[in-house]
Amino acid sequence: MIFVSATTFAQTQKRVKKPKNIILLIGDGTGLSQVSAAQYFKEGAVNYERFPVVGLIKTSSSSDLITDSAAGATAFANGVKTYNGAIGLDKDSLKVKNIVAFTSQKGMNTGIIATSSITHATPACFYAHSKSRNFHEEIASFLPNSEIDFFAGAGLQYFNKRKDGKNLLSDFQKNGFTIDTVALAEKKDKKIGFLLAEKSMPKMVEERGDFLPKATQLAINFLSKDNKNFFLMVEGSQIDWGGHDNDAAYLISELIDFDNTLGTAIDFAEENGETLVIVTADHETGGFTLASNGENYNEIVPSFSTKGHSATMVPVFAFGPGAELFGGIYENTQIFHKILSLLSE
Ligand code: MG
Ligand code: ZN
């Protein structure tokens, strides 16, 4: 006689609800002190606090205890630990299929947004494969032929002022893209790309304005049209750069802009009900701390301990169907594998 206990039955019934859409937001260089800075320096509500599930990731790369953004993004986009500097390759320099290819093959629309060049290490891992993050022109050549349907960021010079003389803007056109180099705007075309600066988008303190939340809203509208499911990656690229510069005003203004962007994503997810929003970072930058001013515990002095990255774990925040998978402590590569497990039927 087969006996199935009530609890076993209940456990098999308890399946993780699967999302239709996935928005992955990466705050480059955003450790817990950076996130905490929003509480103390942002006027108004902090969107990080709207996420019910929080986890921590271990970020070491295959080559180093402390990762760079290329190995960090390869962990998220390709699901493997690799050496610092590698874009979408494993530790033996072999190409690894990325999450954009996986989601695209499932019939999902895909998009990427960054405040750096779109060829910079973090976004690059979502469509390119290169032995070095420094090969911007090689990385650029992957984008027109990728599965990406929407992108926004900077780096125009790597497409149209290349050492090999090629103009990749015509390759985009051949592959059904409309490219805008002037401003974010709604478009009805099949695929769209915005390349809005030669190298990097301006800093927030240099009046970048609402580019990041606005591009995120535009991407959501574009990618979800005709009831299509989508995968979108959004990077707050310059939080990291404020950390490298040990410039607290730069870092905090970029962090607040990123937090506003989280608001755009989670507002959509709340209304849509079938969207998983995941927020994390590739590593911490600057060894940033919210230190006391000596004995004065009522004054915070944002401080740095390095011009580089640090080895501390970084937080993961999740909202929506499947969010419960993202609690706990795990390796950065698990972000990729958890997302993939939510896509499989
Ligand atoms: Mg980055
Ligand atoms: Zn960095």
Side-chain angles (χ1 to χ4, degrees):
M1 186 177 135
I2 297 165
F3 183 80
V4 179
S5 78
T7 48
T8 310
F9 182 72
Q11 276 162 2
T12 56
Q13 291 301 297
K14 198 186 159 203
R15 293 232 169 85
V16 176
K17 206 181 157 211
K18 295 192 170 167
K20 287 192 169 172
N21 311 308
I22 293 164
I23 307 176
L24 172 64
L25 298 111
I26 302 171
D28 197 315
T30 305
L32 200 49
S33 290
Q34 281 84 348
V35 173
S36 307
Q39 285 169 34
Y40 297 105
F41 299 102
K42 187 183 179 190
E43 283 175 32
V46 174
N47 290 302
Y48 271 109
E49 296 178 15
R50 296 167 66 185
F51 292 82
V53 177
V54 181
L56 292 168
I57 49 171
K58 300 188 265 187
T59 63
S60 295
S61 69
S62 73
S63 62
D64 294 270
L65 291 173
I66 299 173
T67 190
D68 81 323
S69 292
T74 299
F76 299 150
N78 308 78
V80 295
K81 293 274 187 184
T82 192
Y83 55 92
N84 285 2
I87 300 293
L89 303 178
D90 69 11
K91 61 182 180 11
D92 302 316
S93 291
L94 298 171
K95 286 184 188 178
V96 187
K97 187 171 168 180
N98 59 49
I99 200 148
V100 163
F102 277 107
T103 51
S104 180
Q105 279 168 8
K106 294 235 168 232
M108 297 164 79
N109 279 332
T110 61
I112 52 170
I113 301 170
T115 56
S116 60
S117 168
I118 206 72
T119 61
H120 212 269
T122 311
C125 295
F126 288 83
Y127 63 88
H129 306 275
S130 177
K131 284 184 181 170
S132 171
R133 57 183 294 167
N134 299 323
F135 299 158
H136 284 274
E137 295 190 0
E138 180 187 90
I139 291 165
S141 66
F142 283 88
L143 190 52
N145 305 304
S146 72
E147 298 89 347
I148 301 274
D149 301 292
F150 177 104
F151 67 88
L156 178 60
Q157 67 180 30
Y158 304 117
F159 295 88
N160 68 354
K161 290 186 189 119
R162 297 164 57 86
K163 288 186 198 87
D164 63 9
K166 285 185 193 161
N167 186 346
L168 299 184
L169 298 185
S170 57
D171 291 32
F172 276 123
Q173 209 171 21
K174 270 182 242 155
N175 293 329
F177 272 98
T178 295
I179 303 296
D180 194 322
T181 61
V182 180
L184 292 172
E186 295 269 2
K187 291 182 201 300
K188 290 211 161 33
D189 308 85
K190 199 163 155 267
K191 294 175 162 209
I192 54 176
F194 297 91
L195 291 168
L196 301 181
E198 289 296 327
K199 204 170 168 200
S200 310
M201 295 302 290
K203 301 173 181 180
M204 282 309 288
V205 290
E206 290 167 352
E207 301 186 1
R208 185 168 75 236
D210 62 355
F211 164 80
L212 195 58
K214 196 175 166 191
T216 301
Q217 186 64 60
L218 203 61
I220 290 169
N221 296 349
F222 182 82
L223 297 171
S224 65
K225 69 183 184 331
D226 306 325
N227 269 324
K228 283 268 262 186
N229 300 342
F230 68 88
F231 170 80
L232 172 63
M233 190 288 297
V234 181
E235 188 199 17
S237 318
Q238 298 193 32
I239 302 165
D240 174 67
W241 301 355
H244 283 291
D245 287 355
N246 286 190
D247 181 338
Y250 183 11
L251 188 163
I252 292 167
S253 58
E254 294 296 331
L255 189 276
I256 290 170
D257 177 57
F258 187 64
D259 187 74
N260 288 334
T261 308
L262 304 188
T264 302
I266 203 167
D267 283 352
F268 170 78
E270 276 180 355
E271 202 187 305
N272 173 266
E274 295 181 306
T275 301
L276 170 64
V277 183
I278 306 153
V279 185
T280 190
D282 44 2
H283 52 74
E284 193 279 337
T285 305
F288 186 57
T289 96
L290 301 175
S292 69
N293 188 1
E295 297 286 295
N296 181 357
Y297 279 17
N298 206 24
E299 193 177 305
I300 292 167
V301 184
S303 315
F304 297 89
S305 62
T306 174
K307 291 266 181 184
H309 299 170
S310 74
T312 56
M313 292 191 286
V314 292
V316 182
F317 304 82
F319 173 94
E324 62 269 36
L325 293 189
F326 293 84
I329 296 179
Y330 46 95
E331 292 288 347
N332 54 0
T333 45
Q334 287 304 311
I335 297 279
F336 170 94
H337 296 290
K338 287 173 193 290
I339 292 173
L340 230 59
S341 76
L342 289 167
L343 296 174
S344 58
E345 295 307 304

